[in-house]
Amino acid sequence: MNEYITLSLILFTIGSVGVLVRRNAIVVFMCIELMLNATNLAFVSFSRQHGNLDGQVAAFFVMVVAAAEVVVGLAIIVSIYRTRRSASVDEASLLKS
Amino acid sequence: MILSVLAAVPIVGAIALALLPKSTSGAQLNAKVIALGVSLITLVVSLIALARYDLDAGGYQLTEKHEWITAFGAWYSVGVSGIGLTLILLTTVLTPIVILAAWDDRLPQASNTNAYFAWMLAVEGLALGAFMATDAFLFYVFFEATLIPLYFLIGSFGGPNRSYAAVKFLIYNLVGGLLMLASIVGLYVVSSRDGGATYLLTDLSNIEMSTTTERLLFLGFMAAFAIKAPLWPLHTWLPDAAGQATPGTSVLMVSVVDKIGTFGMITWCLYLFPEAADWASPVIITLAVISILYGALLAVGQDDIRRLIAFTSVSHFGFIILGIFAFTTTSMAGSTLYMFNHGLSTAALFLVTGMMIARRGSAKISDFGGVQKIAPIMSGILLIAGLSSLSLPGLAPFISEFMVLAGTFTRSIPAAAFATLGIVLAALYILIMYQRTMTGPLREDNQGVHDLIPREIAALAPAIVLIIGLGFFPQPVLNVINPAIDEVASHIGKGDPEPKSPVSIAPTTPEGGHE
Amino acid sequence: MTVYTPILVLGALAAGFAVFSILIAPITGPKRYNRAKLDRYESGIQPSPLPEGGGKISVRYFIIAMLFIVFDIEIIFLYPFAVAFDSLGWFGLIEMFIFMVTVFIAYAYVWRRGGLEWD
Amino acid sequence: MISAELPPLDAPHIEYSLLAPLFIIAGVAVLGVVVEAVWPRASRFTAQAILAVVGVIAALVDTVWVYQNLDKIDDPKLARGLIGAEGALSIDGPGVYTWGILLVFALMSMLLFAERRLEGGLSAFTGRAADAPGSAGEAEAISKRIEHSEVFPLALFSLVGMMLFASSNDLLTMFVALEVLSLPLYLLCGIARRRRLLSQEAALKYFLLGAFSSVFFLYGIALTYGFAGSFRLSDIDVAVSTRTGGTNMLLAAIALMVVGLLFKIGAVPFHTWTPDVYQGAPTPVTAFMAAGTKAAAFLAMLRVLFVAFGGSSWDWRPTIIGIAVITMFLGAVVSISQTDVKRMLAYSSIAHAGFLLVGLVGVYGGVAGEERITSVSSILFYLAVYGVASIGAFAVVTLVRDSGGETTHLSRWAGLGKTSPLLAGAFALFMLSFAGIPLTGGFIGKWSVFTAAWSGGVWPLVVIGVLVSALAAYFYVRVIVLMFFTDPVGDGPTVAVPSALTTVVIAFAVVATVGLGILPGPLLDLAQHAGAFVR
Amino acid sequence: MSELFGHEPFWVIALKALIVFVFLMLYTLFNIWFERRVVARMQHRIGPNVNGPFGLLQSLADGVKLAFKEDLVVKAADKVVYIAAPIIATIPAFMAWSVIPFGPEVKIPFTDTVTPLQLTDFPVAVLYILAVTSIGIYGIVLAGWASGSIYALLGGMRSSAQMISYEVAMGLAFVPVFIFAGSMSTSEIVAAQADTWYFLPLFPSFVIYVIAMVGETNRAPFDLPEAEGELVGGFHTEYSSLKFALFFLAEYVNMVTVSALATTLFLGGWRAPFGLPQIWEGANSGYWPVLWFFLKTLGFIFFFVWLRGTLPRMRYDQFMDFGWKVLIPVSLAWIVAVGVIHKLDREGMLDRQTLIWISVGLGVLLLLSSFWPTKKQPEPEPEPEFDAFAGGYPVPPMPKKDRNV
C-alpha cells in the first residue's frame, strides 16, 4: 500500500515543481491537474487501507471539481490568449507595477 | 445626567454645524455664532455641574453608570473628582475664548468655516468625556478619539507644513494610544481572571496582580500619557504641530487635550498601579527635569514664536509631571493647579501671539520690533501672558509652580534644584521674546500691525482676568482639588515625607500665607 | 490473478500486434525518396508554414469540450444512482431529479446563449 | 474482486428547515440561470439584480429565524446548534452567524454589482467577455447594450460556496465548498469593463494560484484521511487526541491544509495574489471577494484548527504565531509604498488577516460560566466590521473616476476632500476603522482579537500587534492627508454621481462602522452567544 | 456474475484472450468484405469477387498490399506522437472486448475446465467499456495534431468533438438499462434480460444508442471527419502503409464493439431469439449462444452498411445540432420518465396494461407529429449589393470579422 502513497507523493511533487518552474499557463494548469490526480491516488489508497469507501467517494468529488476547474480555467486562459495571443505566465505582467 | 449633557452639548453642536449649510457668508456667520453659543451653553452647564459638586464630600460625584458593552465589561460610567472638575472647567472656559479669538481666522476656503468650528467643538466634547470617564475603556475611547478632530484641525487649517505636522502628531499619539490599548487589554484579562471583567475605576483599583504585570501595564499607560503630555524625549511632535496649527488649534491641543495626559497620569496611572508608579518614579522624575531644562533651553533659541511657546509648554509639562511623580500632596495639588493655570497662560500666549502673527504675516521674532508703539494693548496682554508663563509672583502659574517645587524638595532635592533652574531660563526666553518683538524702534515693515479690536480684547479678557485673579486668590480652585489629591495620595500609600520646608498647604490655611 | 488480468493479456496482444505492424512496415515497404512526399499534403498547392501551436482553432471546440465534461460528470453521477435505484427509494429519485434539473438548466442556458450553434 | 452486493442504503436525513438559507441562495442562483436563458435581454439585468437582492434578503431573514431556533447545548462550553446533513454540515452558532454576515456582505455587493449609472447605463462588467478589448465585437456589444447579467448568479453560487465553507463539518464538503466559492470568483475577476488586460491577468493569476493552493489543501485532506480514516472533523479530533504514531503524516496534513487556507485568507507568505487580484478585478467583485472570502475562509480555518486539530495545537500554534507576525508586519509595511488605492486596500487586507490570526492563535475557548470574549467570537466580530468597512471603501473607489474609468492611482485622489467632502469623509472613516481608531468598529474589532490573544496567553503577540497597528495606521493616515490636506493635481478626480444603490451601500457602511464603534454591544453579544463550535 | 472471474488459471485466460483477438481480426477482415459486397449489391454491382471464394480474401489482400507500401513519416510531424497515435487508437479498440459476454459457462473441449464465454467481468464493466473506448479518441486527436497538417488537425478536432458529443448521448442511453438491471456488469445485464430484451421496454434508449453508436464510430451518415470533399482524409491524411491500416482496423473493431455492446445491453446478449428456447431447450447452453451473438452483431453491421448505402452525409452543424439539441434532451427526459415509471411499478402503483396503452398512444402521437408542417424560417433579406464606387473612389469591401475563429 505504501508504494501507492509514495507514487502519489512523487506525482504530487512533480506537479508542484512543474507549477513553479513552467511558464506556460496551460502547462501549469496541467501540472495542477496532475497534482489533483496524485491526490486521487492517495485517496483511493487510503480508502483501501482503512477499508472504508469514503476515500473513493472523495476521488469522485475531486474528479468533478477537477472538471469544473478545467472548464473555468480553460475559459480564462482562452480569453486571455485571445486578447494577448500568448499563454505565457510571464508575459502577463501588467500587474507587476 | 449633568455630566452626560455636558459632554453631549458640544458634540451635538459639532454634528449640527457639520450639517448646516456652509456656502454663503451668512451661513458661515451663523456657524460661528452657533459655535460660540454652544460653547457658552457648555460653559453654563459646567458651572451648574460645579454648583452641584459637593466640595466637602470629595471622591467621585455626579456619577452616572449604564451598561455599554457587556461583552467587554465596559460601562458608560462617568463622574468627576476635583481634578477632573478643574480640568473640565478649564476646557469649558477656554473653548469660548478660542472660538471668539478664531472668529476671523483665515481659512484655506471660506466654506471650511463650519468644519473648523465643528472640529473645535468636537475636541471640546471629547476632551470633556475623557476628563469625566471613570471606566478605563470609556476613557481610552475618548482619549484616542480626540486625535481625530485635532488631526483634522492641524492638517486642514494651518501653516504650509501642516500635513506633515498632522501626521506626526497623529502617529506619535497613536503609538502611545495603542500601547495603552495593549495595557487595557491586559487589564481586561487580569480583571476577568477573578470574576467578571471590568474597567470601572472603582473595581480596578482593588485588583490583585503580580508585580511584573503591574509594571508592564503601567508602562503601557504611561507611554500614552507621556507622549500626550509631551515628556522628553517623546515631545518632538509638539513643536511641529504647534508651529503649523492655527492659534486656536494650538490652544485646544496644548491647553486642553495634552492635559488629558497629565490628568491620566494622576487619576489612572497612580490610582491603578501605585507600586509600579513608585518603581518608575525616579526615571520619570529625571525625564521630567530634563524636559524642564531642555524645553526651556530650546525655547531660548527659537525664532519662531509658536515653536517657542511649544517648547515653553514642554518645560511646563515637565513641572507638572515632576509634581505628580514627587508623590507629595503639595506637589500633586500644585501639579493639578498647574494644569489649570498653564492652560490659561498658554492659551493667552498662543492667542495673542497668533493675533500678532496674523497681522504681521510672519511668525519670526526677528521680523517684529517696536510693535508696542503702535499696538499698546496687544503688547500689554502679551506681557501679562508672558509674565504668567514665567511664573511671576502675583500671576496664577506662580503658585502652582511654587507648590510643585516645594513638594518636590521634600522628596528629591536635586530634582527640585535643577527644576528651579528652569524658572531662570523661563525668564530669559519670555523676556527676550518680548523685548525683541515689542520694544525698540518700530520696524518699517511692522507698520501694518494694528492694535487689537474689541472682539479680540473680549476674547482675551477672561483669560487675563483669570490669570490675575487666580494669582492672588487660588483658593477656590485648590478647594476643589485638594480632597481629590488627598484621596490619590492615600491610595498610593505614600504619605507626605516629613516636611522639610515650612510651607504646608492645608485647605484651611489662609491663602495669603503661600506667597 | 485478478479480474483485470485478462484485460491486460488482451491489451498486450493488441499492443504486440500494433507495435509489430509499426515496426515491420519500414522493412516491408520500399523507400523512394521524394521531397514533396515528405511535405504535408495540402491538395497539391505549396504547403504554407503552419502557425505555432497549430494555429487558430475555433473556440467552439473548447465549448464542446467543456460541455462534454459537464455532461460526462453528470453521467458519472447518474450511473451509481441508476445501479442503486431500487434501494434508494423516493428520496433518491427526487434528489437525482433535482440534480438533473440543475444540469438541465445549465444546458438550457448554454443553448439559449448560442453555445450549441455551429457557424 | 469487489463484491457486487450493495450495502443497504438508508435515505439520508437532511434538516431542510435549518439549511433553508443555503437552499434559498442555491435555488436563487439556479433560478438566475433560468432567467438568463429565458428573460428578454432588455430588462434582464434589472430582473437578475432584483432576483438576487430579493433572494439574499429572504435568506437573511431565514438565517435570523434559523439562528433563533438553534438548540443550546450545555457542554462545558456553551454551544448551540447541531450537526446536520448526515454529518456533512454543522449548523452551529458561529456558522449561522457567518451566514448572516456573508449575506449582508452579499447584499451590499449585489447592490454595487447592480450599479449602472457610473458607466452611462452599463454595469462595471464587460458586455461580452469573449470579445477582445477594443475589437469590433466589443463595440457591437456596447452599442447593443449587451451585458453579462450572469454576474449575479455567479456571485450567488460563490456565496453558497462561502456559506458552505463556513459551516462544513467534514473535510470533503469543505473542499467542495472551497471550489464552489472560488470558481465563480475566478471568472468574475476577469470581466471588468475597463482595463480588461489587467482584469484578465488578475483572473489568470488568481485561478492558477488558487487552484494550486486548493490542491495543497486537498492533499492535506488526503493525508488527514490517511491518518484518521475519516473526513469528519470530530473523528479526526478523536484520532488526533488518541494518536500513537504517524505524527509526521499528521504534521504534513496540517501543514498542507493550513497552506490552502492561509492562501484564501491572504496571509503571508501566501498572499502574493492578493494585490494583483484586488487591483485587477472589477471593483464590486473585489469588494465582495475581500469581505466574503475572508470571512468564509477564516471560519473554515477555525473549524479545521480548533475542532479537528485542536488536540495538536501545540504543533501548529508556533507556526501560526510566526505567520501572524509576518503577515501583520508585511501587510503594513508594504502598503506604505503602494500608489494604487486598490493595491493599498489589498495590503491592508493582508494586514488584517494578520490581526485576525492574532485572535486565532489565542486559541482561547473561554471558561465555563464566565463571560469572556473567546477567539472564535472575537474573530466573528472582527470579520463583520472589516467586511462592512472594506465593502464601503471599495464602493467609494468605484465613484472616483476620470475618463478612463475608475482612477485608482493615489495621486489622483489628492484633494478629494475638498471637492467632495462627504465621499472623502466616508472613505476617511473606513480608513480610521481599518486603523482601529476608537469610535469606529475597527477599534472594537482590534480590541477583541487582542483580548482573545491575551486571554490565550500570547501577550507578546498583542504588543507586537499593537505596534504594527501603529505602523499600519501610518498609511491609512497618509490617504487622509492626501484627500484632505493636499491640493488636487490638475483638474483632480471627478466623483461620479451614483444611483441610490451605491449611495445606500456607502451610507450603510458608514452607519455600521460608526454604530459598531459606539454601540458594539448587540453584535458583540451575538458573536459571543454564538458560542463554540458544535463538535 | 460468475464466480469464476478472477479465479481462472492463466492458460484459460490466455486462450480466451487469443481467441477474442483472432476473432476480432477475422471479423474485421470479414466485415470489410461484407460491407463492400452489400454496398455493391445495393448499388447493383457485384463487389469484390476475385480473391478467394466470393472474394472473401480481398480484405486480406488489401492488408498485405498496405504492408508493402512505403512507410512515410512527414517532415512536419511530431515523430513520437505521430508513431504512437495508431497504437493508441488500436489497443483500446481490442481491450473493450474483454468484458463482452459471448455465451454462458461452457466446458472447454478436451478438458474438465468450465469457463464463461467472456474474458472477464466486474461490477463496472460498462463503465470500463466507455472509459477504454474514450482512450481511442486520444489516438485520433493525437494523430491529427502530430501530423502537422491543417487537414489532419481539423479532421482530428472534428472527429473528437463528434465522438465526445455522441458519447454523452450514448452514456445517457445506458442509464435506463442500469435502472432496470440494477447492475453495470455485462453478464448480469444479460442475465437480467432472460425474460424481456430491453430494447422493447426501453425502446427510446435503444434508438438513441443506435444513433449514437453510428456517430461514435464516425460512420456514414456521420463520417464527417473523413469527409473527402472538405478534409481530404481527415485525421489520417498523412498516414500511409500499416499505420493507416491500424486506424482502419481500429475503426472496424470499434464498429464491432459498439454492435456487441448494443447486443449485450438491448438485445439480450447471447440469448437465443424469441421463441427459440421454448421449442429448443438447448438453445441457451453450450456453444450455441455464440452463434446467436454473432448473428445479432452481424445484424448491426448490416445496419451500418445499410445506412452507408442509403443516406447522404450530414452537414457538420446539422450533425452537432442533432446530437446536442435532440439526443441529449430526449435522453434526459427519458431517464426521468423511466425513473418515475420504474419506481411506480416497483411500488405496485402502476397497471401494466395502462402503461402499454399509454406508450402506444404516445408513440402514435410522436409518429403523427413528424408529419406536422414545420414553420418555415423567413429567408433573411439579401444583403444589398456592395457598391465599390459609393464614395467616389473604388474601395474593396471590408472583410467581415469572424469572431469565432
Side-chain angles (χ1 to χ4, degrees), chain C residues 16-31:
Chain C
F17 174 74
V19 171
F20 172 76
S21 304
I22 298 274
L23 291 181
I24 200 77
I27 300 167
T28 53
K31 287 242 179 318

Side-chain angles (χ1 to χ4, degrees), chain B residues 152-194:
Chain B
F152 280 98
L153 277 174
I154 299 170
S156 311
F157 316 103
N161 268 333
R162 57 180 191 263
S163 72
Y164 166 76
V167 172
K168 192 170 179 184
F169 159 80
L170 190 70
I171 296 300
Y172 262 76
N173 283 285
L174 207 59
V175 170
L178 285 166
L179 287 172
M180 183 170 160
L181 174 67
S183 285
I184 295 239
V185 169
L187 261 186
Y188 169 88
V189 175
V190 170
S191 73
S192 64
R193 214 166 270 163
D194 36 46

Side-chain angles (χ1 to χ4, degrees), chain B residues 323 326-337 399-400 402-408 410 478 482 485-486 489 496 499 501 503-506:
Chain B
F327 296 141
T328 59
T329 47
T330 320
S331 69
M332 286 192 286
S335 286
T336 312
L337 187 60
I399 301 157
S400 38
F402 184 79
M403 282 167 73
V404 167
L405 286 175
T408 310
T410 62
L478 280 173
N482 277 330
I485 293 297
D486 287 341
D496 286 339
S501 90
V503 182
S504 81
I505 307 295

Side-chain angles (χ1 to χ4, degrees), chain D residues 24-361:
Chain D
I24 291 175
I25 295 295
V28 170
V30 171
L31 201 60
V33 180
V34 177
V35 168
E36 197 60 41
V38 300
W39 202 279
R41 204 181 68 209
S43 59
R44 197 189 290 151
F45 191 90
T46 321
Q48 286 281 28
I50 293 172
L51 180 67
V53 168
V54 169
V56 171
I57 290 176
L60 195 56
V61 171
D62 195 41
T63 304
V64 173
W65 181 86
V66 168
Y67 189 86
Q68 283 166 343
N69 283 279
L70 289 183
D71 302 324
K72 266 191 195 164
I73 300 173
D74 261 326
D75 231 17
K77 291 169 198 166
L78 171 86
R80 52 175 68 217
L82 49 88
I83 304 284
E86 298 287 310
L89 294 174
S90 90
I91 313 153
D92 55 4
V96 178
Y97 173 95
T98 314
W99 292 357
I101 60 172
L102 283 173
L103 287 165
V104 172
F105 297 161
L107 186 58
M108 296 171 74
S109 311
M110 290 303 111
L111 294 179
L112 291 184
F113 276 38
E115 174 67 74
R116 289 203 290 179
R117 186 177 288 183
L118 303 175
E119 289 279 2
L122 292 167
S123 66
F125 306 97
T126 180
R128 211 156 47 183
D131 296 323
S135 65
E138 192 182 36
E140 182 203 352
I142 292 174
S143 69
K144 285 188 178 169
R145 309 193 83 75
I146 294 174
E147 282 184 281
H148 266 310
S149 38
E150 289 96 338
V151 291
F152 293 101
L154 279 175
L156 289 182
F157 278 123
S158 178
L159 177 63
V160 175
M162 290 174 185
M163 291 166 75
L164 263 180
F165 202 36
S167 57
S168 46
N169 190 48
D170 84 32
L171 294 180
L172 194 52
T173 316
M174 204 174 260
F175 174 69
V176 172
L178 173 70
E179 292 293 331
V180 175
L181 177 173
S182 310
L183 291 175
L185 280 183
Y186 299 148
L187 289 176
L188 284 172
C189 280
I191 53 169
R193 176 175 293 277
R194 309 291 191 119
R195 275 176 265 187
R196 279 279 290 295
L197 291 186
L198 212 63
S199 173
Q200 287 177 340
E201 278 172 24
L204 181 64
K205 206 165 225 172
Y206 192 24
F207 169 72
L208 288 179
L209 291 173
F212 192 44
S213 79
S214 68
V215 176
F216 275 93
F217 184 68
L218 185 65
Y219 209 83
I221 293 178
L223 292 182
T224 312
Y225 174 65
F227 177 81
S230 168
F231 291 114
R232 287 279 291 273
L233 296 184
S234 48
D235 296 347
I236 295 166
D237 181 40
V238 171
V240 169
S241 311
T242 59
R243 72 185 132 150
T244 47
T247 308
N248 285 339
M249 186 147 104
L250 176 67
L251 291 184
I254 298 177
L256 287 171
M257 289 188 70
V258 165
V259 166
L261 290 165
L262 287 177
F263 174 87
K264 279 289 159 201
I265 63 173
V268 180
F270 313 105
H271 66 288
T272 43
W273 60 277
T274 321
D276 294 346
V277 174
Y278 276 36
Q279 186 190 4
T283 310
V285 175
T286 315
F288 180 56
M289 186 167 67
T293 314
K294 192 152 280 180
F298 247 99
L299 252 280
M301 185 151 174
L302 284 173
R303 262 182 219 285
V304 168
L305 288 181
F306 285 17
V307 180
F309 298 124
S312 155
S313 71
W314 288 111
D315 295 321
W316 52 259
R317 233 173 133 185
T319 317
I320 307 277
I321 288 179
I323 286 174
V325 171
I326 55 169
T327 303
M328 287 190 294
F329 192 75
L330 196 123
V333 169
V334 179
S335 58
I336 292 174
S337 65
Q338 295 306 312
T339 52
D340 184 283
V341 178
K342 284 166 90 176
R343 284 183 88 83
M344 189 208 78
L345 287 173
Y347 277 104
S348 130
S349 103
I350 294 171
H352 282 286
F355 290 123
L356 282 158
L357 283 176
V358 169
L360 186 146
V361 290

Side-chain angles (χ1 to χ4, degrees), chain B residues 220-245:
Chain B
F221 274 80
M222 195 59 205
F225 296 145
I227 289 174
K228 185 69 96 179
L231 182 66
W232 185 88
L234 304 173
H235 66 281
T236 55
W237 62 270
L238 180 65
D240 285 327
Q244 295 297 327

Side-chain angles (χ1 to χ4, degrees), chain B residues 22 68-72 108-109 112 126 137 140-142 144-145 147-148 151-157 162-164 166-167 170-171 174-175 177-190 192-193 195-197 199 213 216-217, chain D residues 370-373 381 418 421 428 432 435-440 443-448 450-452 454-455 459 462-463 466-471 473-481 484-487 517-522 524-525 528:
Chain B
K22 51 198 159 193
W68 180 32
I69 312 176
T70 38
F72 295 179
Q109 277 168 308
N112 284 342
L126 294 171
F137 194 84
Y140 177 77
V141 167
F142 281 125
E144 286 282 85
L147 295 181
I148 301 165
Y151 171 67
F152 280 98
L153 277 174
I154 299 170
S156 311
F157 316 103
R162 57 180 191 263
S163 72
Y164 166 76
V167 172
L170 190 70
I171 296 300
L174 207 59
V175 170
L178 285 166
L179 287 172
M180 183 170 160
L181 174 67
S183 285
I184 295 239
V185 169
L187 261 186
Y188 169 88
V189 175
V190 170
S192 64
R193 214 166 270 163
Y199 282 121
T213 316
L216 285 172
L217 296 184
Chain D
E370 190 188 302
E371 293 265 306
R372 206 162 139 189
I373 198 149
F381 183 81
K418 288 171 182 141
L432 291 175
I437 305 282
L439 298 183
T440 61
F443 163 66
I444 308 280
K446 216 161 250 180
W447 188 92
S448 48
F450 286 158
T451 306
W454 195 310
S455 298
W459 65 266
V462 175
V463 176
V466 154
L467 291 175
V468 176
S469 340
L471 195 63
Y474 175 72
F475 71 83
Y476 299 120
V477 166
R478 210 171 55 109
V479 178
I480 299 179
V481 168
F484 285 94
F485 309 154
T486 314
D487 289 319
I518 295 174
L519 284 177
L524 208 53
D525 285 345
Q528 201 161 0

